[in-house]
Amino acid sequence: MLNWRVAETAREVAGLGTVTGDRAEAPTSELLGLMGARMNFERNAEIFGEEEPADYLYKVLSGAVRICKLMSDGRRQIGAFYLPGDVFGMEPGEVHRFAAEAIADSSILIVKRSAFIIAARRNSGMVAELWTETMTHLQQAQEHMLVLGRKNAQERIATFLLEMARRLSKQGAVELPMPRQDIADYLGLTIETVSRTLTQLERDGVIAMPASRRIVLRNQTTLDRLNDTLAA
Amino acid sequence: MLNWRVAETAREVAGLGTVTGDRAEAPTSELLGLMGARMNFERNAEIFGEEEPADYLYKVLSGAVRICKLMSDGRRQIGAFYLPGDVFGMEPGEVHRFAAEAIADSSILIVKRSAFIIAARRNSGMVAELWTETMTHLQQAQEHMLVLGRKNAQERIATFLLEMARRLSKQGAVELPMPRQDIADYLGLTIETVSRTLTQLERDGVIAMPASRRIVLRNQTTLDRLNDTLAA
DNA sequence: CGTGCGTTTGAGTGAATTCAACGGCTGTGG
DNA sequence: CCACAGCCGTTGAATTCACTCAAACGCACG
């Protein structure tokens, strides 16, 4: 997919060109080959860990990679599989939010990422910001996969409330802009389950609902625990 | 988050700077204000539809937006909520893969995206490609949310098999690089359900499994139907 | 010929769904 | 002012799909 050469057409820039056939071994272009190092990883070896500094970008040359996130009780969500030709490790922040591990013995090309961020910024601050924004959305999407793939209804609601509180908090209370059906479709639940779970959290004194769209977070600790965040 | 001015520090480039407080109305910077147009959308109005050309980027000035995807039987998955300050609409391809709708009456800044892609490409083909790759991953992540949020076990397995066939097809048969546990954690299922579902698909003649890691897709139509793809 | 790992199969359980009804606003019109 | 319709949200009862717990199978390897 990404051959590390300058794309010639808009279609290629858009990532739609250069049909890839057999991807068992992806080509290492001169350009990046010079900048990076080739490393081999054994099956199940960690390529980078969650919360480790995100100083490099990675390209799969052969083998396969998974990125995954663990909950404190061991539940795991794999965010993506990367196969030969795929580039991964792009992060909007300073650290990786997922761990990356080799699924099979794999050869990986590793390059410093700072050069790209700096290049993007030097030439166009706006491009740098848009790229960063894209990486942020990617991160949020991958976080949300953990919610959809591995969390129960109560945990989903807790995560949702904390997300909303963080993003639009009016100090203490959250004013939800969306109806229950939208929350349900976001969290992969039914409207009834959303309603029941909110009611239960209110009965337990974790939240208060002066109105159906207005939610007061009463017990942050419990919400954090349900969200699997006690440290972070 | 993204104030449309050139970031001054690496931390800002990384999207970690500029603490945002009340986001009820995001600032419209000069830079982009000049380039774009402000538009208002009523509650539930469509901002762009699935499969429509992705010619613009969007920034929420006030209100709230959802991006969502519908299955043919009406099941819906919301991929993200966008609140004031958020930029959305970045696509690696020529068309949007999600629809965007206003949740409440909203004011949206709209700018042509081509300028950014071209700027990124002119200055650094590699930055353009990395950004595109990031957008591709974002798209895949959002597609996967539909799987995790709304599909049953059979549909998840079908989608997974088609994805793997597309990405590493050796003509007809798929050689899976990962164990059942990884498939389970990717699809948000248990290893037992993965196994049972594969066995059932084999009994139904939809696939064949000459070995546990080798899968032959026998009935593409059924898989496509389970994947909710008859046209696309 | 065991040992260990990955996978499959079976039986019973449970969390979220489905189906159904009801409650509470808000705005409109008699 | 009240009646009513139309949403939106809540609550209840029964069902179901995937999960949990448990055991067995097959295959590679020493």
Side-chain angles (χ1 to χ4, degrees), chain B residues 28-217:
Chain B
T28 311
S29 86
E30 325 71 50
L31 223 76
L32 217 80
L34 291 174
M35 303 173 59
R38 189 178 176 136
M39 276 190 71
N40 294 313
F41 293 88
E42 292 189 344
R43 194 163 70 98
N44 292 327
E46 180 179 81
I47 297 167
F48 55 77
E50 213 179 310
E51 302 302 328
E52 274 185 17
D55 296 334
Y56 298 91
L57 298 181
Y58 303 81
K59 179 173 182 171
V60 181
L61 299 177
S62 68
V65 172
R66 63 178 173 248
I67 57 168
C68 55
K69 191 156 193 127
L70 281 173
M71 292 178 67
S72 49
D73 62 1
R75 280 177 286 175
R76 184 179 73 153
Q77 178 64 44
I78 290 179
F81 293 120
Y82 295 120
L83 305 174
D86 290 334
V87 178
F88 64 99
M90 286 85 82
E91 295 280 350
E94 302 299 321
V95 299
H96 291 293
R97 310 296 299 191
F98 274 61
E101 297 157 2
I103 295 173
D105 292 350
S106 300
S107 180
I108 310 287
L109 183 66
I110 302 183
V111 299
K112 272 220 140 47
R113 78 162 191 163
S114 55
F116 300 108
I117 302 286
I118 290 168
R121 189 177 143 216
R122 181 176 49 242
N123 293 306
S124 167
M126 217 125 78
V127 167
E129 290 198 30
L130 286 171
W131 184 18
T132 300
E133 182 88 348
T134 307
M135 291 190 277
T136 301
H137 291 178
L138 174 57
Q139 191 174 88
Q140 288 168 347
Q142 289 173 338
E143 296 282 341
H144 197 51
M145 285 186 200
L146 179 62
V147 172
L148 295 173
R150 288 303 180 205
K151 293 192 182 181
N152 66 26
Q154 213 174 27
E155 293 166 335
R156 291 182 200 210
I157 294 289
T159 302
F160 171 74
L161 291 177
L162 289 173
E163 180 193 345
M164 285 300 138
R166 177 174 51 77
R167 291 175 68 190
L168 42 68
S169 67
K170 305 277 189 191
Q171 270 74 10
V174 184
E175 191 77 38
L176 300 176
M178 72 287 289
R180 293 286 186 271
Q181 185 61 62
D182 281 6
I183 300 173
D185 286 343
Y186 180 57
L187 297 178
L189 298 170
T190 59
I191 188 175
E192 295 95 330
T193 299
V194 171
S195 183
R196 273 187 256 270
T197 305
L198 283 170
T199 303
Q200 191 56 50
L201 286 174
E202 187 175 34
R203 276 208 202 91
D204 298 346
V206 179
I207 61 171
M209 281 194 289
S212 71
R213 298 281 185 105
R214 167 166 285 268
I215 312 237
V216 183
L217 311 189

Side-chain angles (χ1 to χ4, degrees), chain A residues 2 5 14 76 92 129 185, chain B residues 2 5 14 66 76 92 129 185:
Chain A
L2 222 176
R5 61 180 173 75
R76 184 178 74 152
E129 290 199 29
D185 286 343
Chain B
L2 222 176
R5 62 182 172 73
R66 63 178 173 248
R76 184 179 73 153
E129 290 198 30
D185 286 343

Side-chain angles (χ1 to χ4, degrees), chain A:
Chain A
M1 190 74 74
L2 222 176
N3 284 327
W4 296 111
R5 61 180 173 75
V6 177
E8 301 295 340
T9 67
R11 188 163 177 79
E12 282 189 29
V13 168
L16 296 172
T18 50
V19 174
T20 57
D22 189 343
R23 305 179 69 175
E25 174 81 9
T28 312
S29 86
E30 325 71 52
L31 222 75
L32 218 81
L34 292 174
M35 303 173 59
R38 188 177 176 138
M39 277 191 69
N40 294 313
F41 292 88
E42 292 189 343
R43 194 165 70 99
N44 291 327
E46 182 179 79
I47 297 168
F48 54 77
E50 212 179 310
E51 302 302 328
E52 275 184 18
D55 296 333
Y56 298 92
L57 297 181
Y58 303 81
K59 179 174 182 171
V60 181
L61 298 177
S62 69
V65 172
R66 63 178 173 249
I67 57 167
C68 56
K69 191 157 193 129
L70 281 174
M71 291 178 68
S72 48
D73 62 1
R75 279 177 287 176
R76 184 178 74 152
Q77 178 64 44
I78 290 179
F81 293 120
Y82 296 120
L83 305 174
D86 290 334
V87 178
F88 65 99
M90 286 85 82
E91 295 280 349
E94 302 299 321
V95 298
H96 291 293
R97 310 296 298 190
F98 274 61
E101 297 157 0
I103 295 173
D105 293 351
S106 301
S107 179
I108 310 287
L109 183 66
I110 303 183
V111 299
K112 272 219 140 47
R113 78 162 191 163
S114 56
F116 300 108
I117 302 287
I118 290 168
R121 189 179 145 215
R122 181 178 50 242
N123 292 306
S124 167
M126 217 128 75
V127 168
E129 290 199 29
L130 285 171
W131 184 18
T132 300
E133 181 87 350
T134 308
M135 291 190 278
T136 300
H137 290 178
L138 174 58
Q139 190 173 88
Q140 289 167 346
Q142 289 173 339
E143 296 282 341
H144 198 50
M145 286 187 201
L146 178 62
V147 173
L148 295 173
R150 289 303 180 205
K151 293 192 181 180
N152 66 26
Q154 212 174 28
E155 293 166 335
R156 291 182 200 211
I157 294 289
T159 302
F160 172 74
L161 291 177
L162 290 172
E163 180 193 345
M164 285 299 138
R166 177 174 51 77
R167 291 176 68 190
L168 43 67
S169 67
K170 305 277 191 193
Q171 271 76 9
V174 184
E175 192 76 38
L176 299 176
M178 72 286 291
R180 293 286 186 270
Q181 185 62 63
D182 281 6
I183 299 174
D185 286 343
Y186 180 57
L187 297 178
L189 298 170
T190 59
I191 187 175
E192 294 95 330
T193 300
V194 171
S195 183
R196 273 187 256 269
T197 306
L198 284 170
T199 302
Q200 190 57 48
L201 286 174
E202 186 176 35
R203 276 207 204 91
D204 298 346
V206 179
I207 61 171
M209 279 194 290
S212 71
R213 300 280 184 106
R214 167 166 285 268
I215 311 229
V216 183
L217 311 189
R218 292 218 163 282
N219 188 338
Q220 185 85 15
T221 311
T222 300
L223 289 172
D224 283 338
R225 183 176 46 72
L226 287 170
N227 186 41
D228 203 48
T229 10
L230 286 181

